[in-house]
């Protein structure tokens, strides 16, 4: 089963098995990953699911939609070229593990 590895600011990480149809945000919330809130439940309304896709994998994930790009302008932490909203992100085939970095803050 594919996995998502969540890397915290201090470098610690946790890898979680997820189905390919489960978003990074849901995987985080269901497993108590610190620093990813997902307050709106994935409705593209809160930007509290902000993550940074590992730079080596950034080209492996689908491009964000216009709606996601718009909401990314409202993230609380630093916005970077590899910023994504976890509720819009899933582990794409053929990746076995997607690595995301948790920002310093969500709100
Ligand atoms: S969970 Fe609210 S925008 Fe992603």
């Amino acid at each position: 089963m594919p996995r998502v590895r969540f890397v915290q600011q201090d470098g610690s990480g946790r890898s979680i098995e997820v189905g390919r149809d489960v978003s990074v945000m849901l995987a985080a919330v269901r497993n108590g990953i610190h620093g990813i809130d997902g307050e709106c439940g994935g409705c593209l309304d809160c930007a509290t699911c902000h993550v940074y896709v590992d730079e080596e994998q950034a080209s492996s994930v689908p491009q964000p939609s216009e709606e996601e790009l718009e909401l990314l302008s409202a993230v609380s932490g630093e916005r970077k070229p590899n910023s994504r909203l976890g509720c819009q992100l899933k582990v794409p085939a053929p990746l076995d593990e997607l690595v995301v970095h948790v920002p310093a803050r969500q709100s």
Side-chain angles (χ1 to χ4, degrees), residues 25 36-50 71 85-88:
M25 180 277 287
I36 298 180
D37 301 334
E39 288 175 2
C40 77
C43 299
L44 273 177
D45 199 37
C46 72
T48 62
C49 58
H50 179 206
L71 195 53
L85 295 178
C87 66
Q88 304 300 302

Side-chain angles (χ1 to χ4, degrees), residues 71-88:
L71 195 53
L72 278 168
S73 66
V75 296
S76 176
E78 180 187 1
R79 183 179 177 179
K80 300 180 182 180
N82 56 339
S83 285
R84 294 297 302 265
L85 295 178
C87 66
Q88 304 300 302

Side-chain angles (χ1 to χ4, degrees), residues 32-74:
I33 297 295
H34 176 75
I36 298 180
D37 301 334
E39 288 175 2
C40 77
C43 299
L44 273 177
D45 199 37
C46 72
T48 62
C49 58
H50 179 206
V51 295
Y52 305 114
V53 174
D54 192 82
E55 290 181 358
E56 289 186 9
Q57 296 182 324
S59 63
S60 300
V61 297
Q63 294 298 303
S65 66
E66 287 298 318
E67 293 83 2
E68 182 180 351
L69 284 172
E70 195 172 313
L71 195 53
L72 278 168
S73 66

Side-chain angles (χ1 to χ4, degrees), residues 1 6-7 12 15 18-19 28 35 37 48 51 60 64 69 73 81 91 101 107:
M1 188 175 281
F6 295 92
V7 181
S12 64
S15 185
V18 297
D37 301 334
T48 62
V51 295
S60 300
L69 284 172
S73 66
V91 182
H101 300 260
S107 57

